[in-house]
C-alpha cells in the first residue's frame, strides 16, 4: 500500500466520524429543544387533573380488613386467597 491510499482512507474515516458526530449532536440538540417546547406547551395548556372521588363513604372506604389499601386492578377474591394462605403459613410455622 502506498501512503496516498492510507492518507485518503484516514481522511475518509475522519470525515465519516465528523459527519456522524455532527448528526448525533444535531439530533440531541433537536431532542432537547423538542422537550423544552413540549414542557412549555404543557405549562400553557394544563390538562385536567384527577380529583378524588366524592362518593366515598368515610375515611376507610378504600381499606380492606387488614388495613391495606385496595388497588383498583386487584380482585377481592385474590386478596382473600393470599390472606388465607399467609394465615395458614403462619399457623403451620408456629407448630
Amino acid at each position: 500500500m502506498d501512503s496516498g491510499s492510507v492518507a485518503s482512507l484516514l481522511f475518509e474515516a475522519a470525515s465519516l466520524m465528523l459527519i456522524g458526530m455532527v448528526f448525533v449532536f444535531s439530533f440531541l440538540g433537536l431532542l432537547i429543544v423538542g422537550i423544552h417546547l413540549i414542557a412549555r406547551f404543557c405549562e400553557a395548556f394544563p390538562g385536567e387533573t384527577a380529583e378524588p372521588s366524592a362518593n366515598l363513604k368515610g375515611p376507610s372506604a378504600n381499606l380492606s380488613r387488614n388495613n391495606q389499601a385496595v388497588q383498583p386492578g386487584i380482585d377481592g377474591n385474590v386478596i382473600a386467597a393470599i390472606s388465607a394462605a399467609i394465615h395458614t403459613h403462619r399457623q403451620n410455622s408456629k407448630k
Side-chain angles (χ1 to χ4, degrees):
M1 287 177 105
D2 59 8
S3 63
S5 65
V6 172
S8 67
L9 287 175
L10 286 174
F11 178 74
E12 186 177 348
S15 64
L16 284 174
M17 182 183 68
L18 184 64
I19 289 170
M21 290 175 68
V22 167
F23 179 76
V24 169
F25 182 77
S26 301
F27 176 76
L28 292 176
L30 286 173
L31 189 64
I32 290 171
V33 168
I35 289 173
H36 283 289
L37 289 174
I38 290 172
R40 286 189 181 169
F41 178 79
C42 290
E43 288 174 357
F45 303 105
E48 296 180 16
T49 57
E51 295 180 10
S53 180
N55 57 3
L56 295 178
K57 295 179 176 124
S60 61
N62 284 339
L63 298 179
S64 67
R65 289 184 304 195
N66 297 334
N67 204 17
Q68 297 172 347
V70 176
Q71 297 178 357
I74 298 176
D75 186 23
N77 293 333
V78 174
I79 293 173
I82 293 172
S83 298
I86 292 172
H87 178 72
T88 304
H89 173 73
R90 287 181 180 164
Q91 292 298 327
N92 290 340
S93 64
K94 286 182 181 178
K95 293 179 183 179

